[in-house]
């Protein structure tokens, strides 16, 4: 089981309106370092690089491999506890040692500390490790929460090693147009998914074309050639198996060119290499391909040793910057829920236009409605883009830590340096002992309360004195005099206590001021240490970041107390 770590919160509570959400990129890369040995690195802007190894021995334990096999082989429902257990083992195998420290530090100190900060987990697995890429990392689970279903931990596959040229931008100047491709004879619930997708597109005014019935690969290319489409959505069958050339290939089922075939026989399986050649001619407009097809995300190592074999990698090699594909077969009802939620979230609401948010919320909807089904972890988002923004509606500005804004140098502190701490008189041993357990903050409350009590006594004495003046023949005059005398004694005692407690408060504030001077020096030293590590590309430990955060928090507390206490010591 995964050791205790910060609790991951539900995404629906974390997307309240804001002018500028911040996205932190957490890039995880897995490299093969020998047979059964894999190096894992993690990096995020401003934190240096964390390094560990993948726990491949744990991933090959008999109980875990049996659980993974059961999840792969059972196409409908399984055990919720099994999904969670496998997910926690996947998390523990990948997020180890320095990588775990870095993740928990950023998640706890930055993401949970600010409702408008979000973490983008971008997993890049090198082409020499297809056995690692084939694992269902979208199941990764920490403390009972699946990372891929949370907007606070957006989970994507971020392939950097494919020979596809530079990272491309997803963003369009206007709204996208969608081409839905639905070959006949699949036996899937294509009409329901078509109606749901088109309804979502119509509500937002997005243009679309539905290519259905007898759909050959030539018909799809003709549509792409004659119309400008930005999203290609395929609904049908996919496969990953050995082809006539003896190599493994991913393929999609289209209809055959032969017009005489019956609907049942009407099929042509188009391999990944053919799709790559076809779609490469339209990569200047295509931004996203959605494959609602079994095994569209399956991969294997190419014979050349360069690149992955599979439908999704082939489309990425065609320079399409984003692909959504299925790593398992997926039930019709789960697929419909995913498609419905994906297009609703992509076209409406605060996150409209953001592919990674739409995928995450669609996964969450599948987990909500089908908690015993692997379907929520079946869709993989392959992303070769700096962010997940496809188009912009009326969305707020976004800050991203992948290209950070200008920041204050680490050595400096916000605001001007405070004046030196002026010495104050010692209030005396008796009063320092009496208030030895009080801090400056609690003494401010004590002094404030004493001042309020003193004002009340003054008003009571004035009221009784006025009563005597207005009624000189008052029968109870002697009793009123006794009351005034008692209140006056209490007032004099309180004045003495107030003066003493103010003297102790000023002494405590002087101590707080001296502490602030010391902590500012210590913080500057820690920040210089972190800057040296970052400059040399070395890992910044969780302990160092945590120490800096604690010092910053304590300094804010001291500044607040000193500002509030200043008026009492003038």
């Amino acid at each position: 089981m995964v050791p205790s770590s910060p609790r991951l919160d539900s995404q629906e509570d974390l997307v309240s309106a804001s002018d500028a959400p911040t996205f932190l990129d957490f890039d995880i890369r897995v490299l093969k370092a020998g047979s059964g040995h894999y190096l894992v690195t993690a990096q995020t802007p401003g934190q240096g690089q964390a390094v560990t190894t993948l726990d491949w021995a744990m991933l090959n334990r008999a109980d875990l491999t049996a659980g993974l096999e059961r999840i792969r082989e059972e196409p409908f429902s399984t055990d919720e506890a099994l999904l969670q257990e496998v997910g926690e083992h996947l998390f523990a195998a990948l997020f180890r040692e320095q990588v775990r420290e870095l993740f928990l530090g950023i998640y706890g100190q930055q993401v949970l500390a600010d409702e408008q900060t979000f973490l983008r987990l971008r997993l890049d697995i090198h082409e020499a490790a297809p056995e690692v890429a084939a694992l269902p990392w979208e199941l990764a689970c920490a403390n009972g929460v699946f990372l891929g279903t949370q907007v606070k931990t957006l989970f994507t596959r971020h392939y950097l090693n494919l020979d596809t040229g530079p990272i491309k931008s997803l963003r369009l100047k206007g709204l996208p147009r969608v081409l839905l491709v639905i070959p006949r004879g699949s036996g899937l619930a294509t009409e329901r998914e078509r109606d749901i997708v088109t309804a979502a597109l119509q509500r937002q005014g997005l243009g679309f074309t539905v290519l259905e019935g007898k759909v050959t690969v030539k018909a799809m290319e003709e549509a792409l050639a004659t119309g400008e489409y930005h999203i290609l959505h395929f609904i049908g069958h996919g496969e990953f198996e050995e082809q006539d050339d003896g190599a493994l290939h991913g393929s999609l089922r289209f209809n055959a060119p032969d017009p005489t075939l019956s609907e049942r026989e009407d099929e042509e399986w188009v391999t990944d290499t053919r799709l790559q050649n076809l779609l490469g001619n339209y990569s200047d407009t295509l931004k996203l391909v959605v494959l609602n097809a079994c095994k569209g995300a399956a991969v294997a190592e190419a014979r050349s040793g360069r690149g992955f074999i599979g439908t999704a990698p082939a489309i990425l090699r065609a320079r399409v910057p984003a692909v959504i594909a299925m790593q398992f077969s997926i039930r019709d009802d789960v697929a419909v829920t995913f498609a419905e939620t994906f297009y609703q979230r992509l076209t409406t609401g605060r996150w409209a236009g953001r592919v990674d948010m739409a995928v995450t919320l669609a996964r969450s909807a599948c987990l909500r409605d089908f908690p015993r089904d692997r379907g929520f972890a079946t869709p993989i988002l392959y992303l070769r883009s700096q962010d997940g923004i496809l188009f912009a509606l009326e969305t707020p500005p976004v800050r991203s830590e992948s290209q950070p804004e200008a920041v204050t140098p680490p050595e400096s502190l916000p605001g001007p340096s405070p004046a030196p701490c002026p010495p104050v008189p010692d209030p005396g041993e008796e009063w320092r002992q009496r208030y030895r357990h009080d801090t400056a903050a609690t003494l401010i409350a004590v002094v404030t309360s004493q001042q309020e009590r003193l004002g009340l006594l003054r008003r009571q004495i004035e009221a009784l004195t006025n009563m005597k003046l207005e009624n000189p023949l008052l029968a109870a005059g002697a009793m009123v005099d006794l009351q005034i005398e008692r209140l006056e004694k209490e007032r004099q005692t309180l004045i003495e206590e107030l003066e003493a407690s103010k003297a102790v408060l000023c002494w405590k504030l002087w101590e707080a001021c001296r502490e602030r001077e010391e902590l500012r020096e210590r913080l500057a030293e820690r920040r210089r240490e972190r800057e040296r590590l970052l400059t040399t590309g070395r890992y910044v430990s969780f302990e160092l970041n945590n120490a800096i955060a604690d010092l910053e928090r304590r300094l804010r507390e001291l500044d607040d107390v000193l500002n509030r206490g200043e008026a009492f010591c003038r």
Side-chain angles (χ1 to χ4, degrees), residues 23-36:
F23 291 86
L24 305 175
D25 291 329
F26 192 96
D27 291 310
I28 311 169
R29 196 158 200 223
V30 181
L31 303 166
K32 193 161 188 175
S35 178

Side-chain angles (χ1 to χ4, degrees), residues 51-313:
V51 181
T52 188
T53 55
L54 186 70
D55 193 343
W56 190 244
M58 183 180 73
L59 293 175
N60 278 277
R61 274 176 20 193
D63 58 339
L64 184 58
T65 55
L68 282 166
E69 191 64 24
R70 182 179 165 193
I71 290 171
R72 289 191 182 101
E73 294 299 321
E74 293 191 14
F76 296 106
S77 63
T78 184
D79 186 351
E80 291 179 60
L82 175 63
L83 294 171
Q84 183 170 317
E85 182 180 359
V86 169
E88 288 180 338
H89 279 94
L90 288 168
F91 177 87
L94 184 63
F95 290 84
R96 300 178 64 228
E97 300 167 336
Q98 289 185 0
V99 172
R100 180 184 177 86
E101 279 188 359
L102 184 62
F103 169 72
L104 294 180
I106 292 172
Y107 187 79
Q109 294 178 10
Q110 297 185 53
V111 179
L112 289 186
D114 182 1
E115 289 187 352
Q116 304 315 315
T117 296
F118 305 86
L119 197 62
R120 293 192 296 217
L121 300 172
R122 308 195 299 185
L123 178 61
D124 174 34
I125 300 173
H126 193 265
E127 59 199 18
E131 63 277 14
V132 178
L135 292 170
W137 295 106
E138 286 66 23
L139 269 174
C141 178
N143 289 342
V145 177
F146 296 98
L147 303 184
T149 67
Q150 305 293 296
V151 298
K152 277 290 191 177
T153 50
L154 300 168
F155 194 96
T156 64
R157 307 272 185 127
H158 192 69
Y159 283 167
L160 301 176
N161 48 292
L162 294 173
D163 294 331
T164 57
I167 295 293
K168 294 177 64 174
S169 173
L170 275 177
R171 198 180 300 234
L172 300 170
K173 292 183 179 179
L175 298 180
R177 284 185 54 82
V178 183
L179 176 64
L180 274 80
V181 177
I182 313 174
R184 70 175 186 174
S186 66
L188 303 173
T190 58
E191 291 184 2
R192 185 180 171 201
E193 184 171 346
R194 176 203 62 199
D195 292 345
I196 284 171
V197 171
T198 56
L201 298 174
Q202 286 174 330
R203 280 194 298 272
Q204 198 56 51
L206 272 63
F208 63 89
T209 298
V210 179
L211 196 62
E212 60 183 343
K214 185 176 178 66
V215 180
T216 62
V217 68
K218 180 181 178 181
M220 182 182 75
E221 183 170 18
E222 183 67 21
L224 291 171
T226 56
E228 185 173 313
Y229 295 100
H230 308 100
I231 301 176
L232 170 63
H233 187 120
F234 179 90
I235 306 174
H237 285 301
E239 191 52 86
F240 187 76
E241 59 186 2
E242 187 175 316
Q243 301 292 325
D244 293 338
D245 61 1
L248 286 169
H249 284 281
S251 57
L252 297 180
R253 177 190 175 277
F254 285 82
N255 296 128
D258 188 347
T260 65
L261 295 175
S262 67
E263 182 172 332
R264 187 174 181 180
E265 300 171 319
D266 191 10
E267 62 179 32
E268 179 185 15
W269 290 88
V270 179
T271 64
D272 45 18
T273 51
R274 289 178 63 191
L275 289 168
Q276 178 180 336
N277 280 280
L278 186 156
L279 296 179
N281 292 322
Y282 307 99
S283 63
D284 57 333
T285 55
L286 272 179
K287 300 292 185 180
L288 169 66
V289 172
V290 182
L291 299 178
N292 182 3
C294 300
K295 302 182 181 178
V299 296
E301 187 176 7
R303 283 181 171 180
S304 64
R306 293 183 56 81
F308 288 130
I309 286 292
T311 305

Side-chain angles (χ1 to χ4, degrees), residues 326-345:
M326 307 300 162
Q327 59 185 321
F328 306 122
S329 59
I330 187 168
R331 287 167 39 180
D332 284 348
D333 49 359
V334 180
V336 167
T337 296
F338 179 84
E340 177 180 23
T341 310
F342 173 74
Y343 280 103
Q344 283 178 346
R345 299 296 178 260

